[in-house]
């Protein structure tokens, strides 16, 4: 009998290890990690450089495969899928937000958001409509034709979030999404993430900033390729201060 999908963890890593080899040297980036993410979770992953958090994020995003162990995504074992099947899983289930925005400089916000659907082969009219809806969802309905150079850093990150949303993913993976932003704009982005979580989207965030992790409902600390701690918390509400207060 199949389990109720809402009772099955959205993400489940079972004894996952990742070994990198260079000649005769082996480096264990992850060591027998067990980790689950429930539907609707907002998880912040923290750790120092070399802790394994980036490797963990790459595996969660189907950008890399574990050396051993299982990765179950919505109950499907994706740990041994080939490159093409992994690309299909990424496109259907996962949305990505990066520190550097990764927007095309000579392309409008609307066209940047359309890109994932272009690769998926969706018709032009549907691409345009869904991209417009995603940008309106992140508060950029009046900036559809603006190019990245015409947008602030926070607006560019909102375009990147809209691009992640346009494929209607079950989970968004965000890698240091506030790393290039000032403190006020960082709070704006975290407020948007909290709103998305309330709408039912699952979020997994990598950050080195404790104050940013405070906006999540769960904090996982990685050290030496292992999960050092995993605790739930009451998230801090992301309330954007008035401009005059932020400037003082």
């Amino acid at each position: 009998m199949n389990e109720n999908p809402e009772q099955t963890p959205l993400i489940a890593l079972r004894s996952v290890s990742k070994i990198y080899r260079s000649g005769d040297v082996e480096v264990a980036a992850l060591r027998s990690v067990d980790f689950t993410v429930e539907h609707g979770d907002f998880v912040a992953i923290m750790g120092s450089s070399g802790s394994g958090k980036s490797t963990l994020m790459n595996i969660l995003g189907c950008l890399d495969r574990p050396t051993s162990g299982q990765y179950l995504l919505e109950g499907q074992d994706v740990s041994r899928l080939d490159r093409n099947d992994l690309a299909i899983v990424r496109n259907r289930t996962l949305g990505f937000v990066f520190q550097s925005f990764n927007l095309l400089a000579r392309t409008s916000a609307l066209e940047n958001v359309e890109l994932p659907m272009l690769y998926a082969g969706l018709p032009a009219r549907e691409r345009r409509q869904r991209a417009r809806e995603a940008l309106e969802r992140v508060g950029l309905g009046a900036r559809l034709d603006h190019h990245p150079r015409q947008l602030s850093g926070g607006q560019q990150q909102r375009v990147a979030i809209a691009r992640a949303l346009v494929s209607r993913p079950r989970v968004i993976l965000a890698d240091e999404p506030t790393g290039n932003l000032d403190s006020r704009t960082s709070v704006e982005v975290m407020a948007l993430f909290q709103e998305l979580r309330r709408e039912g989207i699952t979020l997994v965030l990598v950050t080195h900033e404790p104050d940013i992790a405070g906006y999540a409902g769960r904090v996982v600390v990685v050290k030496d390729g292992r999960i050092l701690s995993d605790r739930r918390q009451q998230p801090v509400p992301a309330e954007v201060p008035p401009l005059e207060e932020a400037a003082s």
Side-chain angles (χ1 to χ4, degrees):
M1 180 179 297
N2 291 332
E3 296 181 76
N4 183 331
E6 293 304 321
Q7 295 176 348
T8 302
L10 178 59
I11 287 170
L13 301 187
R14 297 176 177 171
S15 299
V16 163
S17 295
K18 180 65 182 180
I19 309 291
Y20 292 104
R21 294 181 174 87
S22 178
D24 295 331
V25 178
E26 292 189 350
V27 177
L30 292 178
R31 305 168 186 264
S32 195
V33 169
D34 292 308
F35 177 64
T36 61
V37 177
E38 304 295 336
H39 295 262
D41 261 353
F42 186 175
V43 184
I45 299 176
M46 301 190 69
S48 60
S49 178
S51 63
K53 67 181 186 300
S54 295
T55 300
L56 177 58
M57 182 64 101
N58 286 340
I59 288 176
L60 295 177
C62 297
L63 300 171
D64 202 355
R65 297 185 184 87
T67 304
S68 60
Q70 271 190 318
Y71 174 18
L72 302 176
L73 180 59
E74 293 192 304
Q76 178 188 9
D77 186 356
V78 299
S79 51
R80 296 295 176 264
L81 294 181
D82 63 28
R83 183 175 300 177
N84 290 336
D85 287 337
L86 282 175
I88 292 171
V89 169
R90 284 196 301 271
N91 191 57
R92 290 179 178 173
T93 309
L94 305 172
F96 297 89
V97 179
F98 302 99
Q99 177 177 347
S100 56
F101 314 143
N102 292 346
L103 302 179
L104 299 181
R106 299 182 180 181
T107 303
S108 71
L110 191 68
E111 291 165 333
N112 266 287
V113 175
E114 281 188 63
L115 277 176
M117 297 178 291
L118 180 64
Y119 298 142
L122 270 66
R125 179 177 295 182
E126 183 176 355
R127 293 199 308 267
R128 182 63 51 108
Q129 178 63 28
R130 284 173 59 170
R132 184 185 301 273
E133 290 173 355
L135 284 164
E136 290 172 349
R137 189 175 182 183
V138 300
L140 291 177
R143 300 286 191 274
L144 304 180
D145 297 323
H146 285 57
H147 287 61
R149 68 179 180 276
Q150 299 171 301
L151 301 171
S152 68
Q155 289 170 333
Q156 290 184 59
Q157 191 60 291
R158 284 175 177 266
V159 174
I161 293 169
R163 185 183 56 196
L165 289 171
V166 78
S167 298
R168 298 171 182 168
R170 300 295 300 276
V171 57
I172 288 180
L173 302 172
D175 191 358
E176 299 281 4
T178 61
N180 288 337
L181 303 177
D182 60 44
S183 58
R184 184 179 191 278
T185 308
S186 296
V187 177
E188 291 177 352
V189 169
M190 298 312 295
L192 178 56
F193 280 157
Q194 288 187 341
E195 180 182 336
L196 294 175
R197 191 211 62 79
R198 288 191 293 269
E199 293 175 5
I201 292 178
T202 303
L203 295 112
V204 180
L205 163 77
V206 164
T207 183
H208 67 277
E209 302 173 85
D211 57 331
I212 294 298
Y215 296 112
R218 180 178 164 202
V219 178
V220 173
V221 177
V222 181
K223 183 177 181 180
D224 296 332
R226 302 181 189 275
I227 292 179
L228 182 65
S229 64
D230 184 348
R231 62 180 176 84
R232 293 198 175 271
Q233 64 181 14
Q234 184 65 36
V236 176
E239 298 176 350
V240 182
L243 283 173
E244 57 271 17
E245 179 183 333
S248 63

